[in-house]
Amino acid sequence: MSLKKADLIITDINYILTMDKSLTEFNNADIVVKDGRIIDIGKNKKDKYFGKTIIGRNKIAIPGLINTHTHAAMTLLRGYGSDNPLKVWLEEYIWPAEGKFVSYEFVKDGTQIAVYEMLRTGTTTFVDMYFFENAVADVIKQVGIRGVLSTGILDFPTPGAKTPEEGIAKTVDFINEYKNDPFVIPAIGPHAPYTCSPQTLKKAYEVSEKYDVLYHIHIAETEFEVKTVKENYGKTPVEHLKSVGVLSERTLAAHMVYPTDREIDILSETGVKVAHCPESNLKLASGIAPVPKMIEKGVVVGIGTDGTASNDDLDIIGEISTAAKLHKGATKDPTVLNAKQALLMATRWGAEALRMEDKIGSIEKGKYADIVLIDITEPHLNPLYDPYTQIVYSSKGNDVDTVLVGGEIKVLNKKVLSLDKGYILDRACFWEKKIKGLNGS
């Protein structure tokens, strides 16, 4: 029998958790990659192909993890002004620092830190909302991670645009520049219903429809937001957005901490997806989103970190662990948000939230080879009775050993190959000194 040519063969993997619709598992099996995609999975596949080989022994293979909501460049504000009330944190620390320093250089340097951290801990796709997203795109093209990118659009001047109209126009230019790129996926990002007028929200949605891109927005993140929207429009945030006509399967709602039961029904009926950010919501004392209730109603929920100024890391494995335990405690039900569901939030459900489930989110033939291998040789991962529970409740992001994005090796033997760690640390130090000088610390 003649062997078929492959670009990469990952052999003898202890567990392959495909996260497909049947939650298919393979034991002591192989994954075969060619032209950036998975072409075969199963036992003894290595005997049918030749090509570069990675030994997967003592590893669990899972799909590349998906961070459905973050502000990547805010790594440069990690820990800055922490443990203050939200109003103080924003008005005395975050906004002055952003107003002074946010630029192409700031965003590029902050994103390189973020991308290094995300790859190292197994994230292969992230959804970003910030400013100077062209800088984020440049990092993505340099490194080869996937990013769904949107510039934050608000009704007042931002570092990216003086008016919402300018922000929308720049987004259209960005969409046209990257509309066919497999790694830079454009989106549009009206900030929130309390910072954007109905006109801005509607104009942004028209762009999302015309160009078939994701509509990425913060919704019902805080009690303050809910109160403000009710006062301004006489409706709760979700009801208000429904009346404006911007809720559909292309809408990705970040946070969704305070939906009413009726609003959850609206999310389900309209196909809106939710990005759950438990650690950020906890640190900022925003509250606990009713995720189990949303899932029960058929709402697709992914997992996000938010920015590191309010988290303070980008470790999605840690995030799903927090989520699973948080909702058990909040509902007093240990069966709520089980390990498989938690991992689905970071894989297939995350892909569905981005409308990319035909490309990523599970290990299946024909999909992009976005694959993570987790090392299971450490004592804290043994004994191993169930790989799902071990990942969600026992593993850490640093247990990630190997990361592939589109079949290209980005992390190997726990080392990020595509970014210079020393350079990144130098840039972090550079910005630390500048930002410390802002408040005289």
Side-chain angles (χ1 to χ4, degrees):
M1 182 182 69
S2 60
L3 300 181
K4 300 175 186 176
K5 176 73 170 70
D7 295 331
L8 184 66
I9 309 158
I10 311 174
T11 69
D12 304 316
I13 307 164
N14 287 43
Y15 300 93
I16 300 173
L17 308 183
T18 67
M19 307 311 293
D20 65 9
K21 288 187 177 179
S22 300
L23 292 178
T24 306
E25 299 177 38
F26 296 94
N27 300 109
N28 303 313
D30 313 317
I31 302 173
V32 186
V33 176
K34 187 175 175 61
D35 298 329
R37 295 182 183 267
I38 299 162
I39 62 169
D40 216 343
I41 318 162
K43 283 183 173 291
N44 303 317
K45 297 300 182 181
K46 63 187 176 185
D47 300 332
K48 300 178 181 179
Y49 298 88
F50 71 95
K52 182 174 181 177
T53 299
I54 293 177
I55 305 301
R57 198 171 299 119
N58 296 318
K59 305 290 192 301
I60 300 173
I62 60 173
L65 301 173
I66 299 168
N67 185 343
T68 56
H69 180 70
T70 192
H71 312 286
M74 292 186 81
T75 52
L76 294 179
L77 297 170
R78 192 194 312 262
Y80 185 61
S82 288
D83 299 331
N84 277 298
L86 180 61
K87 186 173 173 19
V88 173
W89 178 70
L90 286 172
E91 294 180 1
E92 297 184 20
Y93 291 89
I94 299 304
W95 288 345
E98 288 183 325
K100 175 105 176 141
F101 295 119
V102 170
S103 62
Y104 175 92
E105 181 187 23
F106 178 98
V107 173
K108 186 173 183 180
D109 288 346
T111 300
Q112 287 190 90
I113 296 169
V115 167
Y116 187 101
E117 183 180 355
M118 285 191 279
L119 283 173
R120 178 63 188 86
T121 54
T123 292
T124 57
T125 300
F126 68 102
V127 184
D128 196 48
M129 182 195 288
Y130 205 55
F131 310 108
F132 295 95
E133 288 295 310
N134 58 319
V136 182
D138 288 346
V139 173
I140 285 173
K141 297 301 287 183
Q142 169 200 346
V143 177
I145 192 173
R146 297 189 204 282
V148 180
L149 309 185
S150 59
T151 295
I153 296 167
L154 298 92
D155 275 349
F156 46 83
T158 70
K162 293 179 181 177
T163 65
E165 290 78 16
E166 182 186 355
I168 291 171
K170 286 185 173 181
T171 294
V172 170
D173 290 342
F174 187 79
I175 291 169
N176 285 323
E177 183 175 359
Y178 289 103
K179 58 186 175 184
N180 296 315
D181 196 289
F183 295 99
V184 178
I185 299 99
I188 193 161
H191 177 260
Y194 71 99
T195 52
C196 293
S197 68
Q199 293 77 18
T200 298
L201 294 168
K202 187 66 177 174
K203 286 177 184 176
Y205 190 77
E206 288 168 358
V207 170
S208 77
E209 283 191 308
K210 180 177 179 179
Y211 294 96
D212 193 26
V213 298
L214 201 70
Y215 188 84
H216 182 199
I217 181 171
H218 302 80
I219 305 178
E221 181 178 359
T222 63
E223 290 175 306
F224 165 80
E225 176 191 332
V226 174
K227 180 183 177 184
T228 301
V229 173
K230 279 183 175 178
E231 288 175 352
N232 290 342
Y233 304 108
K235 297 181 177 72
T236 58
V238 173
E239 291 172 328
H240 168 59
L241 292 171
K242 183 184 180 186
S243 71
V244 175
V246 298
L247 299 183
S248 74
E249 74 288 342
R250 72 179 67 256
T251 307
L252 176 63
H255 297 288
M256 199 57 73
V257 177
Y258 290 103
T260 64
D261 288 348
R262 173 59 192 139
E263 287 181 301
I264 292 174
D265 287 338
I266 293 171
L267 298 177
S268 179
E269 291 161 7
T270 56
V272 171
K273 317 303 193 302
V274 171
H276 178 39
C277 305
E279 291 184 7
S280 173
N281 294 339
L282 286 170
K283 188 188 177 196
L284 295 179
S286 297
I288 300 172
V291 168
K293 189 177 289 187
M294 287 191 273
I295 292 172
E296 184 182 342
K297 288 285 188 176
V299 178
V300 172
V301 182
I303 197 87
T305 57
D306 207 6
T308 57
S310 60
N311 185 299
D312 290 12
D313 63 49
L314 297 168
D315 179 358
I316 284 292
I317 291 177
E319 203 77 30
I320 60 175
S321 183
T322 297
K325 290 176 279 194
L326 172 67
H327 294 291
K328 295 178 195 308
T331 61
K332 298 182 180 179
D333 181 353
T335 69
V336 158
L337 200 60
N338 61 47
K340 288 180 179 178
Q341 290 176 314
L343 191 53
L344 279 166
M345 291 171 70
T347 54
R348 179 160 52 82
W349 290 355
E352 290 175 13
L354 311 187
R355 302 189 308 149
M356 293 178 67
E357 66 270 23
D358 60 328
K359 298 179 179 69
I360 60 173
S362 57
I363 300 175
E364 298 183 71
K365 289 182 186 180
K367 290 196 175 183
Y368 286 130
D370 292 7
I371 299 167
V372 170
L373 300 182
I374 296 174
D375 175 17
I376 53 174
T377 62
E378 294 296 330
H380 67 271
L381 293 172
N382 287 278
L384 197 161
Y385 300 112
D386 177 80
Y388 296 97
T389 58
Q390 213 78 337
I391 290 170
V392 174
Y393 300 119
S394 300
S395 67
K396 317 293 180 189
N398 285 338
D399 293 318
V400 169
D401 178 86
T402 304
V403 177
L404 275 63
V405 184
E408 296 289 329
I409 301 170
K410 302 300 176 183
V411 178
L412 185 64
N413 298 325
K414 303 187 179 181
K415 296 188 186 311
V416 179
L417 304 180
S418 49
L419 283 165
D420 183 334
K421 184 177 179 180
Y423 174 79
I424 286 171
L425 292 175
D426 285 345
R427 298 308 294 168
C429 183
F430 169 81
W431 287 106
E432 177 188 336
K433 289 175 181 176
K434 290 176 77 75
I435 292 168
K436 274 184 174 179
L438 188 63
N439 64 0
S441 59

